[in-house]
C-alpha cells in the first residue's frame, strides 16, 4: 500500500470499536524481525499517554501513538501502551539476532511466443529500500539496491531459481545489468512452486533470505464491462471468499456491496459484475456461496448456480446435467496436490454441488456428473428405507482423490438428528463409511474443514464451538481454552464464529465476527485467545499469501479493498510466553525433500526422521499411512543421549514384496498392487508452540507416466527429415505372404535410422528417461521384433550358451501359443517364463537362438543372410518385476 492508502486504512480501523495497538516492520511478511529492524508501533484510540518499553530498546518518540522502536539486544521484550483508562494488553515481542538482513526482489515478464518467463531479480535492504520496493510495486531497483546487488555480485552472489516439485534449477546466463539478474524459466502449471536462493555470500555480515514464490501461467481477472451491475451477498453479511488451492493468490471475494477478484493476493483487484437483466435485484443481492476455478467464478444464488467467465454470465441447469434449482451448497478443494496417481482414466473433479438428495461433481470444461443420491446411499450404508436421509454438506478431504459427504439421518425428525460421514474415492469408485457420528439439534448447521494430513482429520464448527476429529477420527473432542471454556462466544463478547483458517503448517486461526482471534494447532486439543489486531466492526478475512504467510483482508465501506500482513508466528509466541506453553521437543528433522515420490517395481524408498527432546520425556516419531495396503515398511531406530538431551533417529524403508514372475493373473495383480499411499511423520507429542507439527507426503506405487525408454544412439536430429517408402522381399517376412510388402518410413515417428554393416553384430542399449532427462541404463531382460514382420535376422547366443536348463521361449513358440493375438501382444512380462530351472518347461533343443537380450548376457542381433535391408524394431521389457 502507498503512504496514502496506509493512512486511509489506519483511519478506518481506528474510527470505531475498541482501542487496539499493533506493530509492523519494513520487511514484508515480517520475514526479518531482528535487532537490525525498525519496528513501527501504532496505537488506535484516544486514551494514549506513552509507550512502555524495556531499557535496552530505544523508542523514537515515547509520547507519540505512532512511533518507531529499535531493540539492540535479542530476546523477548515486553511492550505496551500506557493509557488513561483500563490497562492495554502487553505483547512479548521476540526480537531475533539473525544475520539475515537482505531480501530478494523479483519481477516477471511473460513471453507467450516461446512459453517462457523472464524473472528479474535483485537484492534489497528493507531498512534502506525505496517505498515502492517495500510495497512490491517497483519495476526496477532503487539506487541503494543497485549498489547492494552489484556489491554482492562482486563477492560471488548469484540467484538460482529452484523448483520445489520437480527439483529443477535455473540460473542467469547473462551478466548482471544495472544491478539486476535475469533468469529465464518455462511456463508451467505442475511446477509452479519455486524458491529464489543464493550462494552463501555475506556483505557486512549479512545474508539474503530465501524467497518462496508461486509462478504459473499468467492468470487473468475477468474484465469489468461498463454498464454491468454489482452482484453481492445480502446486506449485513460477513465476507465470503474462495481461492484456487494451487494458486492462493487467485481469490474471489463477495461482500454485501460488490464482488472482487484478484490474481496477486489483492495487491491489485477488479470488480465482477453481471449484465443488466440477467438477474433480478433481489437475486443479485442474494449470493449464498462462491467458488473460483479454472472454468470461471461460480455463484450460488437462491438455489441456482451461475457461472461468470470471459465468455459471459451463464445460468447452469438441466442443459449441463445440473438441477434448475434447489441447490443447497457448493464446495471446492482446499489443499493443493499437483501430482497424484490415479488408475482411473477420468480426470478428478474440481468442485462439488449438492441438493438435499443429490451430489454432483464438476470436471474441467464445465462437465457435470451426478455422483450419488440419498436413495443410493441408503442402500450402500444399509439404512432403513423409511428413515429420512439428506445431504448436510460435501467437502474435499486432504487426500487428492477423495470427497467426503456428511449425511443428516433421523427417523423421528423433531428434536435431534445424527450426522454421518462417508468418503468417496474418485479413483477406486468406492464408498467407505467412517467412524464418525455426531448427535445434533435438528436445526443446527455445522461447517466441516479437512486438515492437511495423511490420515483423514477435520474440524467442524457451529456458531460457538469447534469440534476436532484427528487421526482417522480416533482423537476427538471440543477445542477448549486453558480455563476449560469450549464456547468461544463467551470469550468474545457473544460474537459468533465467522472464519476458520488452516495452513499447511498445521496452524488454526478461529476468527469471530467481531475479529477476536483464537489459535490452535492440528492434533492438539486446546485453543488460546490471541491479541486484538483490528477493531470489532471492520469486515475482515484471513488469507494465505503465495509465500506461505498470513495477511488480513479488509473490505471498507467505501467499496475498496485493503490488505495488511499479519505476524502469526510473533503473535502466537507472544501469547505462549505469557501462558508458559513450551514445545516438548527442541528439534524435529527429516530428509523428506518432496511431497510426491514414485516407487517402481523393485525399487525402495529410504527416509529418515529425527527428534531431539529433553531427557526422560520418552518422545518418538509416529509413522502413519493411509491408502491401499500395498507397501511394506522396515524401521531402524538409533538413540543417543548427552547433556540432558536425547536424539532419536528413525530410518524407514518403504518397499514392495511382490514377485510377478509366472503369475497367470499378472495384469490383475499389477493393478491391485498399484495406488497412492499417503504418509505422515509426526512427533508423538507436541503443542501449539511447536513450529512444525508433521510432514505429509505421497508415495505413488505404479507406472510413472513421465518415464519412457529409448534405444541409445538414435535421434531425430542427425539426418535429413523426410519420409520415404521401401519394399520388403516376401521371403524375408515371417508370415510368408504371396507378394512383396511396400511400407512407409515415417520420420516423425521413427526418427533417424542407424546405419550398420550387415556383418556387424548389434546389441541395443535401452535407456530410461523421465521428464528431467536420462535416468539410467536398463539392465532388465527385453525382447525385440521387427514391426513389419521381418524374420531375416537372428541372435548370436544359443539357449545352451545362455545357461538355459530347458527350452526358452521364442517368437515362434509364443506365436503358436497365442494365434488369436496380434504380434506385439503374444509375448510379454505377463506370460514370461525363464529357462533357468529344471522344474519349468521341457528340455527341448537348446541349440536354438536365445531371443532374449539384456545388458550383460552378450546376446546380439546379427544378419546371417548377408543382404541389405531396412529394419524397424520395437522393444519390450520382458522382466515382469521391472516397470
Amino acid at each position: 500500500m502507498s503512504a496514502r492508502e496506509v493512512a486511509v486504512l489506519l483511519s478506518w480501523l481506528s474510527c470505531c470499536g475498541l482501542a487496539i495497538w499493533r506493530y509492523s516492520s519494513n520487511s514484508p511478511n515480517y520475514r526479518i524481525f531482528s535487532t537490525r529492524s525498525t519496528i513501527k508501533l501504532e496505537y488506535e484510540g484516544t486514551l494514549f499517554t506513552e509507550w512502555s518499553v524495556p531499557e535496552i530498546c530505544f523508542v523514537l518518540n515515547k509520547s507519540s501513538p505512532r512511533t518507531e522502536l529499535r531493540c539492540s539486544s535479542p530476546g523477548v521484550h515486553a511492550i505496551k501502551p500506557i493509557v488513561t483508562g483500563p490497562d492495554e494488553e502487553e505483547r512479548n515481542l521476540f526480537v531475533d539476532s539473525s544475520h539475515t538482513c537482505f531480501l530478494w526482489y523479483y519481477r516477471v515478464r511473460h513471453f507467450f511466443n516461446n512459453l517462457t518467463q523472464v524473472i528479474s531479480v535483485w537484492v534489497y535492504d528493507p531498512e534502506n529500500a525505496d517505498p515502492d520496493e517495500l510495497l512490491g510495486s517497483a519495476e526496477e531497483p532503487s539506487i541503494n539496491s543497485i549498489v547492494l546487488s552489484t556489491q554482492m555480485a562482486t563477492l560471488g552472489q548469484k540467484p538460482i531459481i529452484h523448483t520445489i516439485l520437480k527439483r529443477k534449477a535455473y540460473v542467469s546466463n547473462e551478466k548482471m545489468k544495472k544491478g539486476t539478474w535475469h533468469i529465464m524459466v518455462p511456463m508451467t502449471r505442475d511446477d509452479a512452486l519455486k524458491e529464489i536462493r543464493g550462494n552463501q555470500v555475506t556483505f557486512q555480515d549479512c545474508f539474503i533470505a530465501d524467497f518462496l514464490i508461486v509462478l504459473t501461467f499468467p492468470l487473468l481477472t475477468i474484465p469489468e464491462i461498463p454498464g454491468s451491475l454489482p452482484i453481492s451477498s445480502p446486506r449485513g453479511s460477513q465476507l465470503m471468499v474462495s481461492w484456487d488451492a494451487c494458486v492462493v493468490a487467485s481469490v474471489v471475494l463477495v461482500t454485501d456491496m460488490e464482488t472482487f477478484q484478484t490474481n496477486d493476493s489483492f495487491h491489485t483487484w477488479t470488480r465482477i459484475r453481471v449484465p443488466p437483466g440477467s438477474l433480478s435485484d433481489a437475486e443479485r443481492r442474494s449470493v449464498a456461496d462462491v467458488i473460483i476455478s479454472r472454468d470461471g467464478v461460480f455463484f450460488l444464488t437462491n438455489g441456482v448456480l451461475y457461472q461468470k467467465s470471459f465468455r459471459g454470465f451463464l445460468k447452469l441447469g438441466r442443459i449441463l446435467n445440473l438441477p434448475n434449482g434447489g441447490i443447497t451448497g457448493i464446495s471446492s478443494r482446499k489443499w493443493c496436490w499437483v501430482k497424484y496417481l490415479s488408475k482411473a482414466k477420468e480426470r478428478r473433479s474440481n468442485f462439488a454441488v449438492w441438493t438435499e438428495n443429490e451430489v454432483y461433481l464438476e470436471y474441467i470444461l464445465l462437465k457435470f456428473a451426478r455422483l450419488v443420491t440419498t436413495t443410493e446411499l441408503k442402500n450402500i450404508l444399509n439404512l432403513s428405507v423409511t428413515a429420512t436421509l439428506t445431504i448436510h454438506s460435501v467437502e474435499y478431504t486432504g487426500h487428492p482423490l477423495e470427497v467426503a459427504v456428511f449425511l443428516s439421518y433421523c427417523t423421528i425428525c423433531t428434536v435431534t438428528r445424527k450426522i454421518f460421514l462417508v468418503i468417496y474415492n474418485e479413483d477406486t469408485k468406492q464408498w467407505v463409511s467412517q467412524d464418525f457420528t455426531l448427535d445434533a439439534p435438528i436445526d443446527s448447521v455445522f461447517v466441516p474443514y479437512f486438515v492437511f494430513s495423511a490420515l483423514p482429520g477435520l474440524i467442524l464448527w457451529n456458531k460457538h464451538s469447534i469440534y476436532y476429529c484427528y487421526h482417522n477420527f480416533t482423537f476427538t473432542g471440543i477445542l477448549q481454552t486453558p480455563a476449560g471454556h469450549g464456547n468461544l462466544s463467551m470469550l468474545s463478547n457473544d460474537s459468533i464464529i465467522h472464519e476458520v483458517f488452516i495452513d499447511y503448517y498445521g496452524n488454526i486461526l478461529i476468527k469471530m465476527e467481531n475479529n477476536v482471534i483464537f489459535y490452535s494447532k492440528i492434533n492438539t486439543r486446546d485453543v488460546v485467545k490471541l491479541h486484538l489486531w483490528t477493531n470489532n466492526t471492520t469486515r475482515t478475512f484471513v488469507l494465505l499469501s503465495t509465500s506461505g504467510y498470513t495477511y488480513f483482508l479488509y473490505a471498507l465501506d467505501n467499496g475498496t479493498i485493503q490488505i495488511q500482513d499479519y505476524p502469526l508466528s510473533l503473535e502466537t509466541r507472544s501469547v505462549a510466553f505469557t501462558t508458559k506453553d513450551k514445545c516438548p521437543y527442541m528439534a524435529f528433522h527429516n530428509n523428506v525433500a518432496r511431497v510426491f515420490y514414485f516407487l517402481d517395481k523393485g525399487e525402495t524408498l529410504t527416509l529418515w526422521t529425527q527428534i531431539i527432546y529433553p531427557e526422560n520425556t520418552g518422545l518418538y516419531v509416529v509413522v502413519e499411512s493411509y491408502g491401499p495396503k500395498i507397501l511394506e515398511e522396515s524401521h531402524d531406530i538409533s538413540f543417543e543421549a548427552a547433556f540432558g538431551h536425547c536424539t532419536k533417529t528413525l530410518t524407514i524403508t518403504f518397499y514392495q514384496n511382490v514377485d510377478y514372475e509366472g503369475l497367470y493373473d499378472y495384469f490383475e495383480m499389477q493393478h491391485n498392487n498399484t495406488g497412492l499411499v499417503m504418509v505422515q511423520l509426526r512427533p508423538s507429542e507436541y503443542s501449539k508452540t511447536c513450529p512444525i507439527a508433521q510432514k505429509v507426503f505421497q508415495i505413488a506405487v505404479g507406472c510413472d507416466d513421465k518415464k519412457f525408454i529409448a534405444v541409445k544412439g538414435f535421434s531425430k536430429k542427425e539426418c535429413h527429415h523426410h519420409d520415404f517408402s521401401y519394399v520388403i522381399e516376401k521371403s524375408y517376412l515371417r508370415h510368408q505372404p504371396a507378394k512383396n510388402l511396400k511400407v512407409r518410413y515415417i520420420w516423425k515417428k521413427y526418427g533417424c535410422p542407424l546405419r550398420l554393416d550387415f556383418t556387424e553384430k548389434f546389441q541395443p542399449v535401452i535407456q530410461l528417461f523421465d521428464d528431467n532427462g536420462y535416468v539410467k541404463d536398463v539392465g532388465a531382460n527385453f525382447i525385440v521384433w521387427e514391426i513389419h514382420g521381418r524374420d531375416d535376422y537372428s541372435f548370436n547366443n544359443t539357449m545352451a550358451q545362455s545357461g538355459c536348463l530347458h527350452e526358452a521361449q521364442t517368437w515362434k513358440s509364443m506365436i503358436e501359443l497365442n494365434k488369436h493375438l496380434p504380434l506385439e501382444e503374444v509375448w510379454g512380462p505377463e506370460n514370461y517364463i525363464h529357462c533357468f530351472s529344471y522344474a519349468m518347461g521341457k528340455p527341448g533343443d537348446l541349440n536354438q537362438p536365445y531371443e532374449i537380450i539384456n545388458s550383460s548376457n552378450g546376446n546380439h542381433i546379427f544378419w546371417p543372410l548377408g543382404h541389405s535391408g531396412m529394419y524397424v524394431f520395437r522393444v519390450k521389457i520382458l522382466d515382469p518385476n521391472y516397470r
Side-chain angles (χ1 to χ4, degrees), residues 112 153 234 237 485 645 669 737:
F112 291 96
S237 299
H485 294 289
H645 296 95
M669 280 290 293

Side-chain angles (χ1 to χ4, degrees), residues 543-613:
L543 290 166
L544 188 70
S545 73
T546 55
S547 300
Y549 296 93
T550 52
Y551 68 94
F552 261 91
L553 171 69
Y554 300 101
L556 308 184
D557 281 346
N558 62 3
T560 61
I561 302 299
Q562 300 287 0
I563 58 174
Q564 186 180 43
D565 292 339
Y566 179 65
L568 175 58
S569 176
L570 290 170
E571 290 291 271
T572 56
R573 292 177 74 180
S574 174
V575 172
F577 184 83
T578 303
T579 60
K580 308 300 181 185
D581 189 7
K582 292 185 178 180
C583 183
Y585 55 87
M586 275 73 73
F588 173 56
H589 301 299
N590 58 76
N591 71 333
V592 180
R594 305 181 181 184
V595 295
F596 184 86
Y597 290 91
F598 242 116
L599 202 61
D600 278 350
K601 288 178 182 175
E603 292 184 345
T604 62
L605 174 63
T606 300
L607 303 168
W608 61 262
T609 179
Q610 184 181 81
I611 187 169
I612 303 173
Y613 56 92

